[in-house]
């Protein structure tokens, strides 16, 4: 009995599949309505029409990444109208500015929405909710759409990334000129080597999830865990270093031994910062003060893997 019911059910399913398949096959040739993918897009001007009046902008755009890309909008539009919107009415009116969208006159949120129609992935995926977005910055605050200040930059408003960022971050600009040896001034790194101006999951728009992970991307030899870890190193590199530049060597926030004495009391090493440890008339500085100070002995100050390195001596 059960076998007969299963056979009847399978037969009904097969008949239904044949009937619906026949109807679909017969209806296909009779359809004359074009699909949405092939439907003509209304309101847009012919390609190249904008260059008739805006020759300078069109020529400059061709030399940029925007002019070379083949990306299109959902309507299949590329070029000027992908940002300025449909331009047929603007052309037919003889150049009426009210008939075309000008992103430069839009609020930051609306202008950014236009850019994000293409630039919404990769490094720009965290723009929404980022500090720069929260302060009302627009994409055109840092980027030039039609003209590039320099062929080596990514359509920045300034010739270099450093000049673009320090237009607002004047305090960081001053800090970078404090140190005699600063990799950024020497061109070895840039602001985006550590920070993502479009937002990130880390603090202070860092590319990594923590300050230490960001520093370890270059200074891998300082990476923990180690057998003997120095607590401030494990907590944060900026406890002792200022990555934007200082007046002290090795980007330290204070001079040794003053830096070490901010945490360590003088019970084991009763000294006075920058004092002369000799009672004799001649000047003979304490070994803890000379040259590198505390790290003359505690050379493995970032951590030690030696079995006897509890005090970071080896």
């Amino acid at each position: 009995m059960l076998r007969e019911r299963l056979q009847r059910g399978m037969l009904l399913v097969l008949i239904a599949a044949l009937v619906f398949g026949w109807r679909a096959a017969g209806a296909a040739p009779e359809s004359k309505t074009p699909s949405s993918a092939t439907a003509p897009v209304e309101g847009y001007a012919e390609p190249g029409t904008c260059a008739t009046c805006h020759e300078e902008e069109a020529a400059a755009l061709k030399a940029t990444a925007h002019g070379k890309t083949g990306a299109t909008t959902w309507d299949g539009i590329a070029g000027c109208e992908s940002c300025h919107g449909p331009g047929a009415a603007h052309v037919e009116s003889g150049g009426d500015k009210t008939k075309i969208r000008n992103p430069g006159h839009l609020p930051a949120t609306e202008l950014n929405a236009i850019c994000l129609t293409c630039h919404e992935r990769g490094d720009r995926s965290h723009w929404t909710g980022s500090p720069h977005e929260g302060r009302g910055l627009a994409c055109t605050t840092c980027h030039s759409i039609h003209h590039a200040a320099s062929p080596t930059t990514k359509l920045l408003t300034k010739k270099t990334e450093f000049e673009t960022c320090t237009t607002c971050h004047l305090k960081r600009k001053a800090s970078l000129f404090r140190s005699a040896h600063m990799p950024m001034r020497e061109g070895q790194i840039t602001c985006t080597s550590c920070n993502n101006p479009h937002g990130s999951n880390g603090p202070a728009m860092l590319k990594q999830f923590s300050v230490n992970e960001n520093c370890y991307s270059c200074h891998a030899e300082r990476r923990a865990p180690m057998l003997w870890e120095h607590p401030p190193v494990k907590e944060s590199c900026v406890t002792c270093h200022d990555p934007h530049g200082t007046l002290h060597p090795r980007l330290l926030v204070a001079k040794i031994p003053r830096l070490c004495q901010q945490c360590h009391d003088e019970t084991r090493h009763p000294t006075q910062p920058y004092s002369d440890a000799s009672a004799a008339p001649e000047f003979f500085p304490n070994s803890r003060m000379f040259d590198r100070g505390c790290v003359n002995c505690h050379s493995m100050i970032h951590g030690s893997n030696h079995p006897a390195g509890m005090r970071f001596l080896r």
Side-chain angles (χ1 to χ4, degrees), residues 119-134:
H119 303 283
E120 61 179 351
R121 298 182 180 180
D123 293 342
R124 279 85 57 183
S125 59
H126 297 291
W127 171 259
T128 303
S130 67
H132 283 162
E133 192 268 346

Side-chain angles (χ1 to χ4, degrees), residues 193-205:
S193 298
C194 301
N195 303 96
N196 183 359
H198 301 103
S200 70
N201 289 326
M205 293 193 291

Side-chain angles (χ1 to χ4, degrees), residues 2 23 118 124 151 182 221 273 283:
L2 180 60
R23 289 183 179 179
C118 296
R124 279 85 57 183
M182 177 29 101
E221 72 280 3
F283 178 76

Side-chain angles (χ1 to χ4, degrees), residues 63-101:
T64 66
H66 285 155
K68 297 176 181 179
T69 182
T72 60
T73 63
W74 289 105
D75 295 329
I77 303 300
C80 305
E81 292 174 294
S82 61
C83 297
H84 291 275
H90 173 69
V91 174
E92 294 172 359
S93 64
D96 187 355
K97 295 182 179 180
T98 62
K99 302 293 186 178
I100 193 73
R101 181 174 61 190

Side-chain angles (χ1 to χ4, degrees), residues 6 51 61 71 76 79 116 140 160 171 199 206 209 249 287-288 296 301:
L6 290 175
L61 185 65
L116 290 174
T140 52
T160 63
K171 182 178 179 181
L206 294 176
F209 291 99
S287 61
R288 305 185 193 100
N296 286 337
I301 200 64

Side-chain angles (χ1 to χ4, degrees), residues 152-308:
T152 59
T153 59
K154 297 180 179 179
L155 290 175
L156 296 177
T157 56
K158 303 294 182 180
K159 291 184 178 181
T160 63
E161 185 179 294
F162 175 78
E163 293 178 2
T164 303
C165 296
T166 53
T167 302
C168 298
H169 300 280
L170 298 176
K171 182 178 179 181
R172 300 306 182 190
K173 182 178 182 180
S175 299
L176 291 170
F177 285 94
R178 291 176 180 173
S179 176
H181 169 66
M182 177 29 101
M184 183 172 292
R185 292 207 318 269
E186 297 169 0
Q188 298 180 15
I189 61 174
T190 62
C191 300
T192 54
S193 298
C194 301
N195 303 96
N196 183 359
H198 301 103
S200 70
N201 289 326
M205 293 193 291
L206 294 176
K207 288 187 173 181
Q208 279 74 24
F209 291 99
S210 66
V211 173
N212 284 16
E213 286 297 322
N214 213 61
C215 297
Y216 292 154
S217 60
C218 292
H219 303 281
E221 72 280 3
R222 309 299 186 190
R223 182 181 293 275
M226 296 184 179
L227 183 61
W228 305 104
E229 294 182 341
H230 196 184
V233 177
K234 181 180 179 180
E235 181 180 354
S236 177
C237 299
V238 296
T239 303
C240 300
H241 300 276
D242 186 344
H244 295 101
T246 69
L247 296 174
H248 310 290
R250 295 174 293 280
L251 300 179
L252 295 175
V253 297
K255 189 176 180 180
I256 295 176
R258 172 63 73 181
L259 175 64
C260 302
Q261 290 173 337
Q262 291 178 353
C263 296
H264 299 276
D265 57 27
E266 301 182 6
T267 56
R268 296 181 182 273
H269 293 303
T271 63
Q272 302 233 342
Y274 310 111
S275 65
D276 182 6
S278 175
E282 66 275 6
F283 178 76
F284 185 76
N286 191 316
S287 61
R288 305 185 193 100
M289 317 294 295
F290 183 71
D291 193 22
R292 300 182 66 190
C294 303
V295 292
N296 286 337
C297 299
H298 305 280
S299 57
M300 304 301 295
I301 200 64
H302 291 94
S304 174
N305 280 319
H306 196 281

